Amino acid sequence: MRNTVIALSLAAGLFVGGCTSSKPSASAPAPTTYTPDWTSLAQYNEQPEWFKDAKFGVYFHWGILSVPAFANDWYPRNMHVVGTPEYQHHLETYGHPSKFGYHDFVPMFKAEKFDAEEWAELFQKAGARFAGPMAEHHEGFSMWASKVTPWNVKDMGPKRDVMAELEKAIHGRGMKLMTTFHMARNLQLYADNPEAKTDKSYFPYEADMSTSSTDPKLRMLYGNLPAEEFYQNWKAKLSEVIDNYSPDIIYFDGMEGKIPEKYKQEFVAHYFNKANEQGKQVVITHKSDDFPDEVSIKDFEKGRMNEITPDTWLTDETISTGSWSYTNDLQLKPTADIIHVLADIVSKNGVMVLNISPKADGEIPQDQQQVLLQIGDWLNEHGEAIYATRLWVVYGEGPTKLEKAGHFLPVVKYTPQDVRYTTKGNTIYAIVLGWPGGNQQVLLESFAKDKLKGNLKIKRVSMLGSRDKIKHNWQDNGLTLTTPSEKVNDMAVVFKIETKGKAEL
């Protein structure tokens, strides 16, 4: 076959030293007990090495919102909004929301096929280093045995402490436990002003529906509570999960700006102090400015950074193209697209957690299992270039790049002309986002001698998953590598470049 040089243009991504967080001097020892104020809490190492090493995790939107299996995870809200497809579907399928409310789905959530050990085994096979449940969504149902609220999975629905089962299965396999909290949006900010119906509160206040009920029990589910009571419950629920299930990561979905600083500081202090008692390091994530960067890691929903950053961050992505929770028409992303996004995230100092969507009965659909197992197969062969890696001098090169950083970024399709870099010790990994073809020449322009400074020397080049000797030629315009004659992988391949010395720009 004729050799074709695939030129890979430099895509930016210079590493700039420094950090946005103002942390105490490295010589100052961290306190054994933290007090509930940001100055004390900022002394905690919010970016532990185990999290930087983990790179990939799995979580899931699963609960009462999985029962209707229609539209998306905002069905609980939109079923109350006249004119929406959810309202019309609810009317035709269950009756008017005033007669069949969201709370009437609770007995239908039985989780009869749920097996925590099977789930954890699947997550481990997928290559996840951390995993865990959506602890509570915007709709106010707790997925653990709670004494704060009667609306919990132990007292209603499955009548099982699924959080305890998952904690045992996940920790038992050496993975870290992640719990996600979306509950701040549950507080009805407009209960005293029914005309102000915005999405800053999840449930709309409707006079003829359960969302405006004065029944004490229903008010707790629908967030129609005095603000102070809601704040106290918010903190108490978090304390229950911390004390009873020992999560390693607590993720917040946003809107914690609604919670007073006092309660947030008390939560963080309790979590950090509990971790110290247990001799472990924990992680808090935040969106927007809900928590200070000095105590938590920034999360991007369906987004990421567009360049290398000194601080580690998180992206939460979906396995699907639509809803976060299960729906009957859920469409999935190609596995290669997920792997490409993972490589792009890791090359810029990020970590990815992938959301899946189990059915209400506790079954993880076969098509989702297949995607997870394909990711696991790829990581089993190429994970050396992902796990426990660090940044190179540039994140990558090629024609496909993000124009901006942030949440909900436009979907981009990567090509075999796109490369992302990671390092481990003196090894540089060039992750090519597709198969360039057999016996093809790939030019890595980031290695151009007229651009790259320092004393870097190349000792050996190989390709993960191949026994073929990789021919290479390092010149002024870059490093030319020849692919093996036989295909190694359709989705992405990795050149392993063993070096000595150091590259600089």
Side-chain angles (χ1 to χ4, degrees), residues 241-258:
V241 172
I242 292 167
D243 294 345
N244 297 331
Y245 308 99
S246 300
D248 302 284
I249 305 173
I250 290 183
Y251 156 112
F252 288 103
D253 191 46
M255 299 302 294
E256 271 67 39
K258 296 164 78 171

Side-chain angles (χ1 to χ4, degrees), residues 263-281:
Y263 292 101
K264 291 192 285 188
Q265 291 169 335
E266 289 173 354
F267 146 68
V268 176
H270 180 62
Y271 192 29
F272 288 173
N273 287 328
K274 194 71 174 181
N276 272 1
E277 290 175 14
Q278 297 172 331
K280 69 177 188 177
Q281 294 176 300

Side-chain angles (χ1 to χ4, degrees), residues 71-252:
N72 54 53
D73 48 297
W74 276 60
Y75 184 98
R77 170 186 167 84
N78 292 332
M79 63 172 270
H80 299 95
V81 181
V82 177
T84 63
E86 293 92 331
Y87 175 84
Q88 191 61 34
H89 173 80
H90 195 86
L91 200 65
E92 295 172 358
T93 309
Y94 306 103
H96 194 273
S98 63
K99 303 298 182 184
F100 189 104
Y102 182 68
H103 58 277
D104 291 309
F105 283 121
V106 173
M108 301 168 67
F109 177 52
K110 299 178 181 178
E112 62 271 25
K113 296 182 181 179
F114 168 66
D115 187 317
E117 295 293 340
E118 289 183 0
W119 283 27
E121 183 178 1
L122 175 63
F123 303 152
Q124 189 171 49
K125 287 181 178 178
R129 294 295 192 256
F130 59 93
M134 173 191 70
E136 184 172 313
H137 200 245
H138 312 313
E139 35 81 286
F141 190 85
S142 299
M143 295 294 290
W144 71 91
S146 177
K147 294 181 180 177
V148 178
T149 173
W151 301 98
N152 71 81
V153 77
K154 177 67 172 176
D155 294 330
M156 297 183 179
K159 297 187 177 178
R160 297 165 61 181
D161 189 351
V162 298
M163 180 80 79
E165 295 177 40
L166 285 163
E167 184 277 325
K168 179 182 177 183
I170 290 169
H171 275 152
R173 284 168 171 77
M175 293 182 284
K176 302 291 187 179
L177 176 67
M178 179 178 188
T179 55
T180 76
F181 292 86
H182 313 240
M183 59 192 179
R185 196 183 289 268
N186 181 260
L187 174 62
Q188 287 192 31
L189 287 178
Y190 46 65
D192 295 328
N193 181 14
E195 298 304 315
K197 294 174 182 175
T198 72
D199 69 356
K200 290 183 179 179
S201 301
Y202 189 67
F203 286 113
Y205 187 96
E206 295 289 355
D208 62 341
M209 297 184 191
S210 299
T211 58
S212 64
S213 174
T214 58
D215 177 86
K217 190 173 181 180
L218 288 178
R219 290 182 73 185
M220 184 167 281
L221 179 68
Y222 291 108
N224 184 15
L225 293 170
E228 186 60 29
E229 181 181 351
F230 183 89
Y231 302 149
Q232 292 177 7
N233 288 347
W234 178 89
K235 179 190 159 191
K237 288 176 179 179
L238 285 162
S239 294
E240 279 189 329
V241 172
I242 292 167
D243 294 345
N244 297 331
Y245 308 99
S246 300
D248 302 284
I249 305 173
I250 290 183
Y251 156 112
F252 288 103

